[in-house]
Amino acid sequence: MSESTDRYESAVVRYLEAWNAAEPDALTKAVAAAWSADGRYTDPLADVRGHEGIAAVIAAAHEQFPGFTFRLAGTIDGHHDIARFGWELVDERDGSAPVAGFDVITLDDDGRIRDVHGFLDRVPA
């Protein structure tokens, strides 16, 4: 694995850890580990900046989809300071994934996320 590939994979692992952190303290720590202090998250439903705003979006997703976890779908593709990857929101009870999308992230010099541009490919009615 190349150094840059490892950098992208590490960032995505931290990103998914943040999305899967259900407890408030764990969520706060995971967001701080994944995003830069002024990091931004944008998708069709949200546009927030900073750790508190990002944590609030993640907490809202947990409220809307209790018992679900985010997982990587496919491979991570990256170049320079940019990476893209697909993900699914999986129901832990039956393994179904009613929500899926892909995200494009920009990393800072420390490998933390500066920006997320999220796209929703599959959403429930």
Side-chain angles (χ1 to χ4, degrees):
M1 179 182 314
S2 73
E3 183 178 327
S4 61
T5 300
D6 183 49
R7 182 173 185 240
Y8 305 133
E9 289 184 4
S10 294
V12 173
V13 165
R14 288 191 311 273
Y15 177 80
L16 292 173
E17 285 173 353
W19 277 97
N20 287 323
E23 299 301 319
D25 289 342
L27 176 56
T28 298
K29 289 177 185 175
V31 168
W35 271 271
S36 62
D38 64 341
R40 183 176 181 188
Y41 177 85
T42 305
D43 73 13
L45 306 173
D47 185 5
V48 296
R49 184 176 299 276
H51 292 172
E52 284 186 21
I54 294 165
V57 168
I58 293 171
H62 284 280
E63 287 178 20
Q64 185 175 2
F65 295 98
F68 284 72
T69 58
F70 286 86
R71 73 174 174 206
L72 183 65
T75 59
I76 301 164
D77 183 27
H79 62 81
H80 298 86
D81 292 330
I82 302 168
R84 67 179 177 165
F85 57 93
W87 53 267
E88 294 178 314
L89 184 58
V90 180
D91 187 331
E92 294 173 349
R93 296 164 295 216
D94 64 12
S96 65
V99 183
F102 77 91
D103 291 345
V104 177
I105 61 174
T106 305
L107 304 178
D108 68 11
D109 292 339
D110 295 326
R112 293 188 351 188
I113 298 168
R114 242 189 345 237
D115 292 294
V116 175
H117 302 281
F119 297 84
L120 301 173
D121 297 327
R122 182 174 62 239
V123 295

